[in-house]
PDB file of all heavy atoms in Angstrom:
ATOM      1  N   ALA V  32      -2.563  16.544 -18.454  1.00  0.00           N
ATOM      2  CA  ALA V  32      -3.273  16.793 -17.193  1.00  0.00           C
ATOM      3  C   ALA V  32      -3.369  15.488 -16.412  1.00  0.00           C
ATOM      4  O   ALA V  32      -3.817  14.471 -16.959  1.00  0.00           O
ATOM      5  CB  ALA V  32      -4.656  17.357 -17.471  1.00  0.00           C
ATOM      6  N   ILE V  33      -2.949  15.520 -15.164  1.00  0.00           N
ATOM      7  CA  ILE V  33      -2.967  14.320 -14.311  1.00  0.00           C
ATOM      8  C   ILE V  33      -3.981  14.530 -13.186  1.00  0.00           C
ATOM      9  O   ILE V  33      -3.929  15.557 -12.493  1.00  0.00           O
ATOM     10  CB  ILE V  33      -1.583  14.002 -13.747  1.00  0.00           C
ATOM     11  CG1 ILE V  33      -0.592  13.739 -14.892  1.00  0.00           C
ATOM     12  CG2 ILE V  33      -1.635  12.824 -12.787  1.00  0.00           C
ATOM     13  CD1 ILE V  33       0.811  13.424 -14.436  1.00  0.00           C
ATOM     14  N   ILE V  34      -4.880  13.578 -13.030  1.00  0.00           N
ATOM     15  CA  ILE V  34      -5.889  13.641 -11.983  1.00  0.00           C
ATOM     16  C   ILE V  34      -5.355  12.912 -10.742  1.00  0.00           C
ATOM     17  O   ILE V  34      -5.043  11.723 -10.805  1.00  0.00           O
ATOM     18  CB  ILE V  34      -7.207  12.991 -12.432  1.00  0.00           C
ATOM     19  CG1 ILE V  34      -7.695  13.609 -13.744  1.00  0.00           C
ATOM     20  CG2 ILE V  34      -8.275  13.111 -11.361  1.00  0.00           C
ATOM     21  CD1 ILE V  34      -8.888  12.874 -14.366  1.00  0.00           C
ATOM     22  N   GLY V  35      -5.265  13.611  -9.616  1.00  0.00           N
ATOM     23  CA  GLY V  35      -4.783  13.006  -8.393  1.00  0.00           C
ATOM     24  C   GLY V  35      -3.295  13.194  -8.201  1.00  0.00           C
ATOM     25  O   GLY V  35      -2.543  13.463  -9.154  1.00  0.00           O
ATOM     26  N   SER V  36      -2.845  13.053  -6.949  1.00  0.00           N
ATOM     27  CA  SER V  36      -1.434  13.297  -6.641  1.00  0.00           C
ATOM     28  C   SER V  36      -0.847  12.254  -5.728  1.00  0.00           C
ATOM     29  O   SER V  36       0.033  12.538  -4.910  1.00  0.00           O
ATOM     30  CB  SER V  36      -1.284  14.686  -5.993  1.00  0.00           C
ATOM     31  OG  SER V  36      -1.976  14.759  -4.760  1.00  0.00           O
ATOM     32  N   GLY V  37      -1.335  11.004  -5.834  1.00  0.00           N
ATOM     33  CA  GLY V  37      -0.721   9.905  -5.084  1.00  0.00           C
ATOM     34  C   GLY V  37       0.616   9.514  -5.687  1.00  0.00           C
ATOM     35  O   GLY V  37       1.101  10.128  -6.654  1.00  0.00           O
ATOM     36  N   PHE V  38       1.219   8.455  -5.159  1.00  0.00           N
ATOM     37  CA  PHE V  38       2.557   8.074  -5.619  1.00  0.00           C
ATOM     38  C   PHE V  38       2.604   7.757  -7.107  1.00  0.00           C
ATOM     39  O   PHE V  38       3.578   8.113  -7.789  1.00  0.00           O
ATOM     40  CB  PHE V  38       3.052   6.870  -4.799  1.00  0.00           C
ATOM     41  CG  PHE V  38       3.624   7.253  -3.474  1.00  0.00           C
ATOM     42  CD1 PHE V  38       2.960   6.971  -2.296  1.00  0.00           C
ATOM     43  CD2 PHE V  38       4.859   7.879  -3.382  1.00  0.00           C
ATOM     44  CE1 PHE V  38       3.490   7.318  -1.063  1.00  0.00           C
ATOM     45  CE2 PHE V  38       5.408   8.234  -2.152  1.00  0.00           C
ATOM     46  CZ  PHE V  38       4.724   7.954  -0.990  1.00  0.00           C
ATOM     47  N   SER V  39       1.585   7.087  -7.630  1.00  0.00           N
ATOM     48  CA  SER V  39       1.626   6.742  -9.056  1.00  0.00           C
ATOM     49  C   SER V  39       1.525   7.983  -9.921  1.00  0.00           C
ATOM     50  O   SER V  39       2.224   8.088 -10.949  1.00  0.00           O
ATOM     51  CB  SER V  39       0.501   5.754  -9.391  1.00  0.00           C
ATOM     52  OG  SER V  39      -0.771   6.322  -9.138  1.00  0.00           O
ATOM     53  N   ALA V  40       0.678   8.945  -9.538  1.00  0.00           N
ATOM     54  CA  ALA V  40       0.545  10.190 -10.294  1.00  0.00           C
ATOM     55  C   ALA V  40       1.823  11.000 -10.237  1.00  0.00           C
ATOM     56  O   ALA V  40       2.281  11.548 -11.248  1.00  0.00           O
ATOM     57  CB  ALA V  40      -0.642  10.997  -9.749  1.00  0.00           C
ATOM     58  N   LEU V  41       2.432  11.081  -9.050  1.00  0.00           N
ATOM     59  CA  LEU V  41       3.681  11.823  -8.917  1.00  0.00           C
ATOM     60  C   LEU V  41       4.790  11.187  -9.752  1.00  0.00           C
ATOM     61  O   LEU V  41       5.576  11.883 -10.421  1.00  0.00           O
ATOM     62  CB  LEU V  41       4.115  11.862  -7.450  1.00  0.00           C
ATOM     63  CG  LEU V  41       3.242  12.681  -6.486  1.00  0.00           C
ATOM     64  CD1 LEU V  41       3.652  12.430  -5.050  1.00  0.00           C
ATOM     65  CD2 LEU V  41       3.360  14.166  -6.822  1.00  0.00           C
ATOM     66  N   SER V  42       4.834   9.859  -9.743  1.00  0.00           N
ATOM     67  CA  SER V  42       5.833   9.148 -10.527  1.00  0.00           C
ATOM     68  C   SER V  42       5.655   9.434 -12.020  1.00  0.00           C
ATOM     69  O   SER V  42       6.606   9.812 -12.720  1.00  0.00           O
ATOM     70  CB  SER V  42       5.710   7.639 -10.260  1.00  0.00           C
ATOM     71  OG  SER V  42       6.495   6.887 -11.167  1.00  0.00           O
ATOM     72  N   SER V  43       4.429   9.279 -12.514  1.00  0.00           N
ATOM     73  CA  SER V  43       4.143   9.545 -13.927  1.00  0.00           C
ATOM     74  C   SER V  43       4.535  10.974 -14.308  1.00  0.00           C
ATOM     75  O   SER V  43       5.127  11.208 -15.356  1.00  0.00           O
ATOM     76  CB  SER V  43       2.656   9.331 -14.217  1.00  0.00           C
ATOM     77  OG  SER V  43       2.279   8.006 -14.074  1.00  0.00           O
ATOM     78  N   ALA V  44       4.158  11.910 -13.444  1.00  0.00           N
ATOM     79  CA  ALA V  44       4.432  13.314 -13.739  1.00  0.00           C
ATOM     80  C   ALA V  44       5.931  13.569 -13.959  1.00  0.00           C
ATOM     81  O   ALA V  44       6.326  14.301 -14.873  1.00  0.00           O
ATOM     82  CB  ALA V  44       3.910  14.191 -12.596  1.00  0.00           C
ATOM     83  N   CYS V  45       6.755  12.944 -13.129  1.00  0.00           N
ATOM     84  CA  CYS V  45       8.207  13.131 -13.250  1.00  0.00           C
ATOM     85  C   CYS V  45       8.703  12.611 -14.595  1.00  0.00           C
ATOM     86  O   CYS V  45       9.459  13.299 -15.303  1.00  0.00           O
ATOM     87  CB  CYS V  45       8.928  12.427 -12.104  1.00  0.00           C
ATOM     88  SG  CYS V  45       8.684  13.201 -10.485  1.00  0.00           S
ATOM     89  N   TYR V  46       8.291  11.414 -14.975  1.00  0.00           N
ATOM     90  CA  TYR V  46       8.752  10.849 -16.237  1.00  0.00           C
ATOM     91  C   TYR V  46       8.251  11.651 -17.434  1.00  0.00           C
ATOM     92  O   TYR V  46       9.005  11.898 -18.397  1.00  0.00           O
ATOM     93  CB  TYR V  46       8.281   9.396 -16.367  1.00  0.00           C
ATOM     94  CG  TYR V  46       9.022   8.432 -15.471  1.00  0.00           C
ATOM     95  CD1 TYR V  46       8.407   7.880 -14.345  1.00  0.00           C
ATOM     96  CD2 TYR V  46      10.347   8.066 -15.739  1.00  0.00           C
ATOM     97  CE1 TYR V  46       9.086   6.996 -13.508  1.00  0.00           C
ATOM     98  CE2 TYR V  46      11.030   7.174 -14.924  1.00  0.00           C
ATOM     99  CZ  TYR V  46      10.405   6.645 -13.810  1.00  0.00           C
ATOM    100  OH  TYR V  46      11.084   5.779 -12.987  1.00  0.00           O
ATOM    101  N   LEU V  47       6.990  12.065 -17.390  1.00  0.00           N
ATOM    102  CA  LEU V  47       6.424  12.800 -18.514  1.00  0.00           C
ATOM    103  C   LEU V  47       7.038  14.186 -18.650  1.00  0.00           C
ATOM    104  O   LEU V  47       7.249  14.692 -19.764  1.00  0.00           O
ATOM    105  CB  LEU V  47       4.907  12.894 -18.339  1.00  0.00           C
ATOM    106  CG  LEU V  47       4.159  11.566 -18.472  1.00  0.00           C
ATOM    107  CD1 LEU V  47       2.718  11.701 -17.999  1.00  0.00           C
ATOM    108  CD2 LEU V  47       4.212  11.051 -19.903  1.00  0.00           C
TER     109      LEU V  47
END
Side-chain angles (χ1 to χ4, degrees):
I33 299 180
I34 306 172
S36 63
F38 278 108
S39 61
L41 292 170
S42 170
S43 294
C45 291
Y46 287 107
L47 292 168

